[in-house]
């Protein structure tokens, strides 16, 4: 198994914003392969920029299936 060391706090670190089938988001180191079940959103930026994108975009943290069950949307 490969061990990866990554410093999330450096200004040079770049991340991808990922989304899964439940429309939940995650940030992921840009130089690592995207894990199964996740798709790139097209955002690749610093952690702070990714966090700002998520704050603006991910306004309802409930999984999509729960939103549909409760709200019909």
């Amino acid at each position: 198994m490969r061990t990866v060391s990554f410093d999330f706090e450096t200004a040079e670190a770049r991340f991808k914003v990922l989304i899964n089938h439940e429309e939940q988001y995650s940030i992921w180191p840009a130089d690592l392969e995207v894990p199964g079940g996740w798709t790139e959103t097209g955002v690749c930026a610093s952690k702070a920029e990714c966090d700002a994108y998520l704050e603006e975009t991910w306004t309802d943290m409930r999984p999509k299936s729960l939103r549909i069950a409760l709200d019909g949307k």
Side-chain angles (χ1 to χ4, degrees):
M1 179 185 276
R2 185 179 109 177
T3 302
V4 177
S5 176
F6 189 84
D7 185 352
F8 283 79
E9 302 305 322
T10 65
E12 297 80 27
R14 289 293 173 256
F15 299 87
K16 297 175 185 175
V17 177
L18 308 179
I19 190 168
N20 66 18
H21 72 283
E22 286 283 1
E23 296 181 357
Q24 296 173 304
Y25 290 86
S26 181
I27 63 170
W28 192 254
D31 58 343
L32 296 182
E33 185 175 326
V34 174
W38 293 89
T39 303
E40 294 183 43
T41 62
V43 175
C44 184
S46 69
K47 184 174 183 299
E49 291 167 317
C50 289
D51 287 343
Y53 173 82
L54 292 176
E55 188 172 323
E56 182 179 319
T57 305
W58 195 11
T59 57
D60 188 341
M61 298 192 119
R62 298 175 298 169
K64 181 180 181 179
S65 59
L66 180 61
R67 290 193 317 267
I68 290 170
L70 296 178
D71 304 339
K73 305 179 195 179

